[in-house]
Each structure stands twice: as structure tokens, then as C-alpha cells.
Amino acid sequence: LLDPLFAGLSPSALPSLSQLPPFYWTECGSEFRNAVQLDPSSSDFADLQRMMTATCVAATLGTGRDQRELMSYDALQLVKAERLEHAGLWRAYAAKRAQLAASCGNTTAEATPVSALGDVALLRHTPLSVAANEALLFHGTKAEIAPLVRDGGFDERLCDSKGLFGGGLYFAMNSSKSDQYCTPDPAN
């Protein structure tokens, strides 16, 4: 484990801890829900920018079959970031992660390595489950859909059925691929 919070705990105590919300949440009530605006000068904000930059294939920006609006640019810049703290969505996620870890725990699959991202403090606070093949991925959407995702999580009923593989939720290892599904936000 990557955090001193877990120091000295026996391995048998860890499964129950994996169901708890992250320790850095602002509140942890059973029905708690909050969107925390990240300060642009914070280390978490800087880590997100580093993750976007490290996974961006600049040559594909503004182009591609999936590009919503053709534009010319050569980098991605994070202008706003919110951390969703939603007790109900966290419980559902933690339960699914535990189910996946139990069913996939005997495989030889490994989680996508994040070592290429360098020293990202965000990862020290949020260890990924190798047993569940958990990985950090990007998702791109229209600006008007983002609040729906924030408030209710990812919902396949909101998907566009015209995608290459049909309606569904798509995630990518590269920020530049997810960028192809975004549209400019007039507010930013």
C-alpha cells in the first residue's frame, strides 16, 4: 500500500478498507455528495495536467475519424477540474471492483502500468487494484453532458448510438483520443 494511513494494518483488515471512500474526501457521510473544485495551484491539478500531457499524442489532436469539431492545436491544457465525492457511486464502484478482483484474481493479467506518468501524488493516495485490473483512463464528452456524469455517474442510456461499435461507454488510455469526443465549452 502506498499511504501511511494503512501502516500497521493486517492484510485481513484491508478488504473492508477498500469499501471506504478515499481518506482525502471532504466529508464521508453515507449519502454525501459533493463536487470539489480543484485549485489550479494544487498538486492534484498539476498531476492531472501531467497525466494528460504524458498520454497525449500531439499529432492526433484536432484530427481523426472521431473528432467532433476539426480544429488546429498541438497540446491539451487543463483549465478546470472537479473531484466527485459521491458516497452512493463510490459504494457501487467499490462493490464492482471487489467483484472483479474476486473473479479475476487468479489470472495473470496486470493493471496498465502508470510508471510512465512519473511521480504523481494522486496515485500515491489512490492505489490501483492489480487483482481487478484497475487502470486510470480518460473519457471525453460534450460540455453539456459533463454535469450529468458528475451528478449520476456514467450512464449508457445517454450514449450516442452512432459510434463505431454502437452505443456504449468508451474510455481511452490516451488523453488525445478522449479529446476527439469533446466539444469546446463556451464557458471556458
Side-chain angles (χ1 to χ4, degrees):
L1 291 171
L2 304 172
D3 199 281
L5 176 70
F6 301 111
L9 292 178
S10 71
S12 63
L14 296 178
S16 61
L17 284 176
S18 69
Q19 304 297 315
L20 296 175
F23 71 90
Y24 50 83
W25 278 20
T26 57
E27 195 174 321
C28 293
S30 65
E31 296 307 315
F32 180 67
R33 181 161 138 185
N34 193 21
V36 177
Q37 181 82 30
L38 296 184
D39 181 344
S41 64
S42 72
S43 63
D44 286 346
F45 196 94
D47 285 344
L48 290 172
Q49 179 63 58
R50 275 197 295 278
M51 291 166 66
M52 282 178 37
T53 301
T55 63
C56 180
V57 180
T60 66
L61 291 174
T63 65
R65 188 190 72 74
D66 298 316
Q67 187 69 35
R68 298 261 176 158
E69 291 187 30
L70 296 178
M71 301 172 75
S72 180
Y73 50 100
D74 58 5
L76 296 175
Q77 180 182 358
L78 185 63
V79 286
K80 179 180 176 183
E82 294 180 344
R83 179 181 62 240
L84 177 62
E85 299 178 354
H86 189 302
L89 291 177
W90 177 262
R91 282 192 303 274
Y93 177 79
K96 183 54 109 173
R97 180 179 56 192
Q99 178 187 17
L100 285 169
S103 66
C104 299
N106 295 327
T107 67
T108 58
E110 293 184 18
T112 303
V114 292
S115 58
L117 300 177
D119 184 29
V120 177
L122 188 66
L123 297 175
R124 288 195 302 274
H125 300 306
T126 312
L128 300 175
S129 169
V130 173
N133 199 27
E134 192 174 27
L136 295 175
L137 300 171
F138 294 93
H139 177 75
T141 191
K142 300 174 187 171
E144 61 268 19
I145 299 296
L148 299 173
V149 173
R150 179 195 63 216
D151 295 340
F154 291 103
D155 186 342
E156 63 275 0
R157 294 173 295 177
L158 299 175
C159 298
D160 183 352
S161 62
K162 298 174 192 155
L164 180 62
F165 301 107
L169 298 169
Y170 296 92
F171 298 88
M173 294 186 312
N174 298 94
S175 59
S176 49
K177 182 62 178 175
S178 291
D179 176 63
Q180 293 179 352
Y181 295 90
C182 297
T183 55
D185 182 355
N188 288 315

